[in-house]
Amino acid sequence: MAPTSAPRRMDEHPSPAAGTAPKPAPRTSASRVSSRSAPLGLWALIIAGGYAAGLAAHAFGVPAPYLLSSLLVGAALALCGRVRDRLPAPANRASQALVGALMGSYLTPSALLSAAPVALPLTVVTAATIGMSAAVAWFLARGGRIGRPSALLGMVPGGSAAIVTCADELNADVRLVAFTQYLRVGLVAATAPLAAHWLTSASPAAGGHPAASGGAGSGFFSGLLHVVAGQDQLTGLFTLAVIAVAGSWAGRRLRVPTPLLIGPMLAALVATLSGAVPGFAPVGMLQNLVFVLVGLDVGVRFTRQTLIRVRRLLLPITACMAAVCLGCTGLAWIFAGLTRTPFADAYLATTPGGINAVLATAVSSHADVALVSTVQSLRLLVVVLVTPLITRRLAAARPPSPRTVMTR
């Protein structure tokens, strides 16, 4: 994303008259890299603990058990101060690439053809979601404590990593944008499985993909050996590794948004449409492990330091985020009525991201993953492309208020 030529400024921070320094110290746990990272052995124990919590949650019938339980484990460790670092970079990159490959494996020719008749409603819903988020951001910024760029970048649904990355280029408060984005991801990840389970409890949707089972119903030892959808496990694992590595490389070279996710998804889409490769979609224990990594990555972002620094803005931000989620639910109801899509599928397709958590929920609840992936991916691409343009227009419309945003 090309940087703006406008002079750099911290338009949302306290002025010298307010008695604080005009430039904030980048000290949030969301943006800093600790000089003393947690040892890999500790992370191995945390990941194993998240997986064990997922097994227990599955035994009690919790929806999306590996995602929800690991999210709660990560948040608890971060809030207690036991973990002060993000998920190790290799594990984070691997989880994104594997989620992308899983998404692409659902986009079969029949699935894409079935989504073609609803292309126009999908586009309208995507545009309405972005417009609604911009309107809520404008309302949030009216109070003066949050500048328009930060409010908009924090509220747009989708592409959290890409949005946070471009926040500094757009003269927004990176700390506030990161917290708001990941609060949205956390809220959706925590509520979507429960909502989807409630919506499908009366008439559960049938899963049409082999990866949807997650291996939970099969024997434990057979689940250890069967980790990809095809019969030839070694060939399937090799194909999955090639798709993840080549897709990540291609995504970076093509500079697509969130390349570690979208790149493998496009590579898996090509492989799926060609029909010449064996089943490579993660299933069973491998799929569960991927969902554990996704949940931990979301949970460990919510540290005590971050919550303390935004405590004065927590209530209005949460209220606005709830308004966006309710608005998306309304759009899902309209979309379901127009296209005769099951409401549970429409809800997961239109809920305001993160895409990793929503996909995990769709797989666990046996929803139409092809539809969910298509809508979420479309919105992700549109959001990342148009948000910088909207942000610059909002920032130029009126000088921001000098009132403070973050507390020290």
Side-chain angles (χ1 to χ4, degrees):
M1 225 160 289
T4 179
S5 59
R8 292 174 61 84
R9 53 158 177 73
M10 294 296 178
D11 63 334
E12 302 158 5
H13 302 295
S15 62
T20 57
K23 292 184 179 181
R27 297 180 298 172
T28 57
S29 59
S31 60
R32 67 175 173 86
V33 178
S34 174
S35 59
R36 301 190 331 180
S37 300
L40 294 180
L42 175 60
W43 275 112
L45 289 176
I46 293 173
I47 293 171
Y51 196 97
L55 285 173
H58 179 270
F60 284 98
V62 176
Y66 295 94
L67 174 72
L68 273 180
S69 58
S70 58
L71 188 153
L72 294 176
V73 168
L77 292 174
L79 290 174
C80 294
R82 304 298 299 176
V83 173
R84 296 181 176 86
D85 304 289
R86 294 278 302 279
L87 195 68
N92 183 272
R93 296 190 192 105
S95 66
Q96 289 193 57
L98 292 177
V99 167
L102 180 61
M103 290 172 58
S105 70
Y106 282 97
L107 299 177
T108 61
S110 59
L112 294 176
L113 287 176
S114 65
V118 297
L120 180 60
L122 288 183
T123 305
V124 172
V125 166
T126 299
T129 302
I130 297 173
M132 177 181 60
S133 301
V136 172
W138 176 83
F139 178 80
L140 180 63
R142 288 194 65 187
R145 290 189 296 174
I146 304 177
R148 288 179 175 181
S150 291
L152 178 64
L153 291 175
M155 285 294 156
V156 289
S160 299
I163 293 298
V164 172
T165 300
C166 73
D168 191 48
E169 297 177 1
L170 298 171
N171 296 318
D173 189 318
V174 181
R175 301 174 301 172
L176 183 60
V177 172
F179 174 79
T180 307
Q181 280 286 332
Y182 296 130
L183 175 64
R184 171 182 59 81
V185 173
L187 288 175
V188 171
T191 58
L194 303 177
H197 178 73
W198 176 72
L199 291 172
T200 57
S201 59
S203 56
H209 194 281
S213 64
S218 58
F220 177 76
F221 293 105
S222 63
L224 291 177
L225 299 176
H226 195 79
V227 292
V228 291
Q231 295 299 320
D232 190 340
Q233 293 294 290
L234 290 179
T235 305
L237 279 173
F238 177 76
T239 304
L240 178 61
V242 170
I243 288 174
V245 174
S248 300
W249 177 83
R252 285 173 171 149
R253 290 297 299 269
L254 297 174
R255 296 184 178 181
V256 298
T258 57
L260 298 181
L261 178 73
I262 299 299
M265 186 190 76
L266 296 177
L269 173 61
V270 172
T272 302
L273 294 179
S274 70
V277 294
F280 58 86
V283 298
M285 185 176 184
L286 179 58
Q287 185 188 100
N288 296 338
L289 180 61
V290 171
F291 292 162
V292 167
L293 295 177
V294 171
L296 286 174
D297 184 55
V298 175
V300 297
R301 300 173 192 264
F302 295 96
T303 63
R304 285 184 295 178
Q305 292 80 3
T306 302
L307 293 178
I308 290 172
R309 289 190 176 104
V310 298
R311 62 185 182 274
R312 296 181 181 177
L313 299 174
L314 186 59
L315 182 59
I317 287 175
T318 304
C320 290
M321 200 67 67
V324 171
C325 292
L326 289 175
C328 289
T329 303
L331 292 175
W333 181 76
I334 296 173
F335 177 78
L338 292 176
T339 62
R340 300 189 182 279
T341 300
F343 181 66
D345 295 347
Y347 168 78
L348 290 175
T350 58
T351 193
I355 191 169
N356 294 353
V358 172
L359 179 70
T361 302
V363 172
S364 300
S365 60
H366 307 289
D368 187 346
V369 184
L371 175 67
V372 174
S373 297
T374 301
V375 180
Q376 291 282 343
S377 301
L378 172 65
R379 189 179 65 203
L380 171 65
L381 291 169
V382 174
V383 162
V384 174
L385 289 174
V386 306
T387 295
L389 302 176
I390 300 175
T391 303
R392 290 187 182 108
R393 288 185 176 274
L394 284 177
R398 187 184 66 177
S401 170
R403 294 164 68 182
T404 184
V405 187
M406 304 285 287
T407 57
R408 290 186 176 274

